[in-house]
Amino acid sequence: MRAVRLNAWKSDPVRTEIPIPEPGPGQVLIQVGGAGACHSDLHLMREFGTGSEAWEPPFTLGHENAGWVHTLGDGVRGWEPGQPVAVVGAWGCGRCARCRAGVDIYCEDPAAAPVPGGGGGLGLDGGMADYLLVPAERFLVPLPDGLDPVHAAPITDAALTPYHAIRRSLPKLTPDAIALVIGAGGLGHLGVQLLKTLTGARVVVVEPRESAGRLAARSGADLVLAPGSDTVALIRDFTSGRGVDLALDFVGSDETIATAAKSARPLGDVTIVGIAGGSFPVSFTSLPPEVSVQTTYWGTRAELVELFDLAARGLLTPEIEVFDLDDALTAYRRLEAGDVRGRAVIAPSATYSG
Ligand code: NAD
Ligand code: ZN
Ligand code: ZN
């Protein structure tokens, strides 16, 4: 089968041929319908390889995946070949307290997981291939009627990650609240949609690309700003001087974390989601009082099920650009050049072929 593989850190992926995997006991083979190209894959290609990683290439990329159940391993019940499914991306041990609650993202026994702190496309073979081997049927979520795999795939990460980050701040997002979204790419445009769907908060977006700024406006942003020396002042003006209740940073550079921190309202939240590697000095005076700063990683199985419900009701609509599997490297090049609107999704098959 075709596969787009990362063979070494600090290298470009390669489109190659590998054998179709055979599902063992408890495993399921998925025919891939959609695999999202996440900016994290660019971090894997460019910045990983410092020696502190829990896993190593080679592996097939693609950690936001959906498709159709193809072959069931021994003992797997309750799924039918051809059934449309999404794949929960973080693969934990399945037995610790966190995994039992569907919070595999923070598995407490990573040594017993299929791969410590990762999943398909993050240490093990992912979905940028004709087929994806899923190590346990509990990582499958059925798709609701009307949601196809290419639109479902980005929901498993590009929507799930902002949803998890927003949910933990919901008590602060009262109808008079203002939220800041920095970066309106794959995650950010869905973060804006989710803030507008779930809360009465007004949303201000900081985004340098004009096309992404327009997408943010279409997604419901009340104000879109290009980053510049006066960004914090303009954000504070928009909030009548008081600051934002939640700042979501989907970039994570020194500059964007500083913008988020300086824009926050006392008692507000600053949540760093982007992994550009920036930092910000925390001291008594560097942040407004009682501002909480946190990082978040992905989301839970229960949150993914909730998002599919929102999507089925038309309340969450990922903006996608679809690419053939043979064009996956073009999709990554365009993502790196800032030339993707919303999420690039690789579609190895358009329909289930049996
Ligand atoms: P993307 O490339 O689709 O979007 C990033 C957006 O940020 C682009 O629109 C870009 O124009 C914009 N941007 C760049 N510099 C900016 C600046 N200075 N100010 C404001 N906006 C700026 O990327 P994505 O796939 O949405 O991922 C965003 C980040 O989140 C990446 O670092 C990715 O690795 C990370 N990520 C984290 C998690 C997690 O669980 N924490 C999950 C998925 C992705
Ligand atoms: Zn991702
Ligand atoms: Zn676990």
Side-chain angles (χ1 to χ4, degrees), residues 3-342:
V4 175
R5 289 173 70 76
L6 188 69
N7 286 325
W9 298 131
K10 296 192 166 61
S11 72
D12 285 332
V14 176
R15 149 80 170 87
T16 181
E17 297 281 333
I18 57 171
I20 298 176
E22 296 218 355
Q27 302 182 333
V28 182
L29 187 70
I30 301 299
Q31 184 186 333
V32 182
C38 181
H39 202 114
S40 297
D41 295 337
L42 298 178
H43 295 305
L44 293 177
M45 296 170 204
R46 303 289 173 246
E47 290 132 37
F48 276 57
T50 59
S52 59
E53 291 79 13
W55 26 267
E56 293 283 322
F59 54 86
T60 302
L61 291 172
H63 58 266
E64 43 179 60
N65 304 308
W68 303 270
V69 171
H70 190 274
T71 313
L72 305 178
D74 281 350
V76 179
R77 305 266 179 277
W79 300 93
E80 293 294 326
Q83 184 176 353
V85 288
V87 180
V88 174
W91 293 347
C93 77
R95 278 188 292 275
C96 73
R98 290 273 160 80
C99 285
R100 281 178 195 276
V103 192
D104 289 57
I105 43 174
Y106 304 130
C107 172
E108 289 175 314
D109 190 3
V115 58
L122 297 168
L124 291 177
D125 287 344
M128 297 235 174
D130 289 305
Y131 298 92
L132 166 64
L133 183 65
V134 178
E137 61 94 17
R138 68 190 188 87
F139 299 130
L140 301 182
V141 176
L143 294 191
D145 287 346
L147 188 65
D148 56 76
V150 280
H151 285 88
I155 292 177
T156 68
D157 176 16
L160 180 58
T161 301
Y163 183 56
H164 182 79
I166 291 165
R167 270 183 102 244
R168 67 197 304 293
S169 293
L170 280 179
K172 297 184 183 179
L173 294 171
T174 50
D176 63 338
I178 298 182
L180 166 65
V181 169
I182 300 179
L187 273 65
H189 87 284
L190 293 170
V192 175
Q193 286 188 20
L194 288 165
L195 283 164
K196 298 306 284 190
T197 294
L198 301 170
T199 79
R202 280 173 294 157
V203 178
V204 48
V205 170
V206 177
E207 167 60 54
R209 291 189 292 142
E210 263 180 41
S211 63
R214 284 196 298 274
L215 175 59
R218 280 206 305 285
S219 303
D222 297 275
L223 175 68
V224 179
L225 301 169
S229 54
D230 54 353
T231 307
V232 173
L234 292 170
I235 294 166
R236 297 202 77 90
D237 277 355
F238 186 68
T239 65
S240 306
R242 70 185 197 197
V244 300
D245 299 85
L246 167 64
L248 285 170
D249 183 355
F250 293 113
V251 177
S253 65
D254 288 352
E255 171 202 334
T256 57
I257 302 173
T259 299
K262 289 176 186 159
S263 303
R265 183 186 189 185
L267 293 169
D269 282 345
V270 170
T271 303
I272 302 165
V273 178
I275 54 177
S279 59
F280 180 81
V282 173
S283 69
F284 195 86
T285 50
S286 70
L287 284 158
E290 297 199 39
V291 164
S292 302
V293 179
Q294 51 262 311
T295 57
T296 60
Y297 179 57
W298 226 326
T300 70
R301 184 199 164 87
E303 288 165 342
L304 183 57
V305 172
E306 289 169 13
L307 286 175
F308 284 141
D309 193 50
L310 285 180
R313 288 151 59 201
L315 297 170
L316 176 69
T317 51
E319 173 92 10
I320 60 171
E321 288 195 53
V322 181
F323 294 77
D324 189 83
L325 183 59
D326 292 328
D327 297 326
L329 274 59
T330 306
Y332 280 124
R333 274 195 289 272
R334 286 193 35 202
L335 180 66
E336 192 157 33
D339 186 28
V340 170
R341 195 185 58 253

